[in-house]
Amino acid sequence: MRLPPLVGLPTDSSLQGHHRFAMAGEKYVRALVDAAAVTPVLLPSLQPPLPAGDWLSRVHGLLLTGAVSNIEPQHYAGGRTWPGNLHDPARDGAAFSLLQHALAADLPVLAICRGFQELNVALGGTLHPQVHRVEGRHDHREDPAASVEVQYGPAHSIALVAGGWLAQWHGGRSAVVNSVHGQGIDSLADGLLPEAHADDGLVEAARSRRHSFVLGVQWHPEWRVTHNPFYHAVFHAFGQACRQRQRLQQDSA
């Protein structure tokens, strides 16, 4: 009997009281189990990063999660930061190191929110540090005073690119997604192909032009994933890619 594929996900480095903890949101871990049918493996983000190649040789996919922190602006020529802009340099270092090795090995990658931004920056793209301050762009942040059900509830529609993966999985040209982010894509990396746009033109999803399965989405499909067929389709497709990777690795062993 074949065991489920292993999927690694970098943790956030979070100060809790006097000590730092390696943390990952349970909603991502749960979505991997319930919708992708894989086994999550937490990869601690330390400074300096642990050898990414050693980890990734043992897993069959990589999930880059969202986080409360933002990528430090020096990674994408984003100018100076500002008070209240939370950063996690350990997560930055781990994510970029993992991505470098994952892309070189053609490992399946699903990148969500911050993870999508990490993917874009790793491939040479840039970000808007504050999308709501860009002329012509909407405010894509959640209401901090709202309940979590409202924050992660339907927020706006996206247009799915004809012939793209998302359009095929969804069976249509538009979908409604949540919106819980302050940063967003400015220039999309040359290696990425758009999959979806918000009605203000912001890139909401993209896939790699050169890899078997590398997909980034700006919204949070892990939220109530078993109740949303579109969100579920994203994780299911990722799980299928990881199973294919597992078969290839076992056949070549």
Side-chain angles (χ1 to χ4, degrees):
M1 180 178 178
R2 194 189 300 269
L3 295 174
L6 301 176
V7 170
L9 55 161
T11 58
D12 302 324
S13 178
S14 177
L15 185 64
Q16 304 290 317
H18 297 293
H19 305 283
R20 286 205 163 271
F21 285 74
M23 305 175 66
E26 187 175 308
K27 59 195 175 89
Y28 301 103
V29 176
R30 191 80 255 173
L32 286 173
V33 173
D34 292 344
V38 300
T39 299
V41 179
L42 302 189
L43 309 177
S45 298
L46 302 176
Q47 290 182 294
L50 295 175
D54 293 346
W55 282 344
L56 294 183
S57 66
R58 295 170 172 81
V59 300
H60 309 105
L62 177 67
L63 174 70
L64 298 175
T65 69
V68 297
S69 64
N70 286 320
I71 301 170
E72 290 189 307
Q74 70 264 22
H75 292 295
Y76 58 92
R80 300 178 62 182
T81 190
W82 61 92
N85 187 22
L86 299 178
H87 296 303
D88 185 347
R91 164 68 188 259
D92 289 349
F96 290 132
S97 178
L98 288 166
L99 270 172
Q100 177 186 358
H101 287 82
L103 295 172
D106 198 22
L107 195 72
V109 175
L110 176 59
I112 295 174
C113 198
R114 187 196 210 271
F116 180 29
Q117 296 160 14
E118 290 167 342
L119 174 64
N120 189 56
V121 170
L123 290 174
T126 61
L127 305 177
H128 293 302
Q130 296 176 290
V131 174
H132 57 283
R133 293 185 177 273
V134 179
E135 184 176 357
R137 298 286 193 240
H138 301 322
D139 190 340
H140 289 256
R141 298 172 299 175
E142 75 278 16
D143 178 358
S147 67
V148 67
E149 288 79 11
V150 172
Q151 289 179 344
Y152 282 83
H156 63 77
S157 63
I158 56 173
L160 308 180
V161 174
W165 290 355
L166 294 178
Q168 295 176 40
W169 301 338
H170 186 51
R173 291 292 305 279
S174 66
V176 178
V177 298
N178 52 41
S179 189
V180 192
H181 64 100
Q183 291 188 155
I185 304 299
D186 179 7
S187 63
L188 190 66
D190 289 341
L192 295 177
L193 190 68
E195 277 279 327
H197 297 85
D199 59 4
D200 61 357
L202 190 71
V203 177
E204 286 278 336
R207 74 175 190 270
S208 173
R209 300 175 184 270
R210 298 187 292 269
H211 298 89
S212 301
F213 189 103
V214 173
L215 175 68
V217 299
Q218 187 56 74
W219 68 93
H220 286 265
E222 81 285 353
W223 178 251
R224 300 197 184 283
V225 65
T226 58
H227 296 83
N228 188 310
F230 180 47
Y231 293 3
H232 189 279
V234 172
F235 272 89
H236 176 73
F238 176 57
Q240 292 291 82
C242 295
R243 276 179 281 280
Q244 176 64 19
R245 175 68 176 215
Q246 182 186 43
R247 286 191 291 268
L248 291 174
Q249 289 184 357
Q250 291 179 346
D251 290 345
S252 62

